[in-house]
Amino acid sequence: MRAPKVILTLTVSIALSGCLPSNEPMFSSRGVAPETISVHNASNEIQMQDQALALNAMTRNIIRKSTVQGAAIGAFAGCGLVILSASNAKNCVTGAVAGGAIGAVAGAASGKKQAAKRVELVSPSALVRAIGKADDSMDIVSRDLPNLLKKQDTELALLSDRMKSGQISEEQYAHRFEVIKANRAQLAEALSLSAAQANEAHKNLQAAKVKGQTGLDWHLSATRNLARDATSARSAISLL
């Protein structure tokens, strides 16, 4: 899957607004010219879109890190839950990849010795770091998205009033409306993709657990919660 292409255009020049910091407090629209609100909103739309696309990249990274290592995916599945000695494990993987063999069988003594040692199909520590970064990005989106949507609605209402009073043309209103509409569609697509990717990673981890890897309970819960939060943020977006 690919991240949505950025097509956002602005009705006003961002150059006039300068670079607005992401932690700038929200202001009241009362007494503020619609053009000023448009500039402010346009900057925040770009920032939010950047966050949503970054979240896409982070959830894709979680998929990669939750996938059984390389060509060993099918081979380890054939070898069963127990990791063999280094030489036997290599034989098992080679046999499974080359001929679809069920896997090598360890000697009785070696098998008993290794029976308690499970296959590490994914790296838990690498996943913790990847999930943590995605959680941080998701927190920013969840915090700032409702405010952005509310400000967009306020801006469109003000522009509508100006259009009705003849202060701006229908074309001017329609252009800004289409920009906001496109921005919301892109955000919705990005969040839907992040939710789907988090769910895919969750399924990968479930598969690793079934194949014998232990210690993945936190990772399973975290990916499920990430998918839930992305879905919740997507549901908050009303498409125009």
Side-chain angles (χ1 to χ4, degrees):
M1 292 183 283
R2 59 183 178 85
K5 183 178 180 182
V6 179
I7 60 172
L8 182 62
T9 58
L10 306 179
T11 56
V12 291
S13 173
I14 294 301
L16 296 177
S17 67
C19 181
L20 297 177
S22 60
N23 60 351
E24 180 180 347
M26 294 309 204
F27 59 86
S28 170
S29 61
R30 182 177 299 177
V32 179
E35 294 85 351
T36 301
I37 297 176
S38 295
V39 171
H40 186 89
N41 284 355
S43 178
N44 286 327
E45 285 160 9
I46 292 174
Q47 292 175 15
M48 179 60 64
Q49 195 167 56
D50 287 344
Q51 282 293 338
L53 294 177
L55 183 61
N56 283 170
M58 292 171 189
T59 50
R60 280 198 304 275
N61 188 40
I62 295 173
I63 289 178
R64 287 192 294 269
K65 293 185 183 302
S66 65
T67 300
V68 176
Q69 305 300 319
I73 297 175
F76 274 127
C79 291
L81 300 182
V82 182
I83 187 168
L84 310 177
S85 66
S87 60
N88 282 333
K90 181 179 179 181
N91 291 338
C92 176
V93 173
T94 302
V97 172
I102 296 300
V105 178
S110 178
K112 289 180 181 179
K113 184 178 180 180
Q114 298 291 337
K117 192 175 183 181
R118 300 297 186 179
V119 178
E120 184 174 283
L121 300 172
V122 297
S123 171
S125 58
L127 275 165
V128 167
R129 292 190 293 271
I131 294 171
K133 290 180 180 179
D135 280 340
D136 289 344
S137 184
M138 187 71 249
D139 286 344
I140 293 174
V141 172
S142 297
R143 181 195 69 198
D144 294 344
L145 180 61
N147 222 344
L148 174 62
L149 297 174
K150 182 177 180 180
K151 289 178 62 181
Q152 287 177 333
D153 289 339
T154 298
E155 178 190 353
L156 289 177
L158 290 172
L159 291 175
S160 178
D161 288 343
R162 292 199 70 186
M163 178 186 67
K164 292 174 182 177
S165 64
Q167 298 178 64
I168 63 173
S169 67
E170 291 185 11
E171 289 76 13
Q172 288 173 307
Y173 172 83
H175 182 66
R176 182 59 184 151
F177 178 90
E178 290 300 324
V179 169
I180 293 176
K181 179 180 178 180
N183 172 256
R184 290 193 178 189
Q186 291 157 16
L187 289 176
E189 183 181 353
L191 289 168
S192 295
L193 178 57
S194 290
Q197 290 178 161
N199 277 322
E200 184 175 347
H202 183 77
K203 292 177 181 178
N204 286 347
L205 293 172
Q206 286 179 318
K209 185 175 182 179
V210 168
K211 288 183 174 75
Q213 184 161 354
T214 58
L216 295 178
D217 289 344
W218 179 88
H219 307 74
L220 284 162
S221 176
T223 50
R224 181 178 61 245
N225 291 340
L226 183 59
R228 178 203 63 199
D229 291 346
T231 299
S232 177
R234 162 61 187 91
S235 67
I237 300 175
S238 176
L239 299 179
L240 300 175

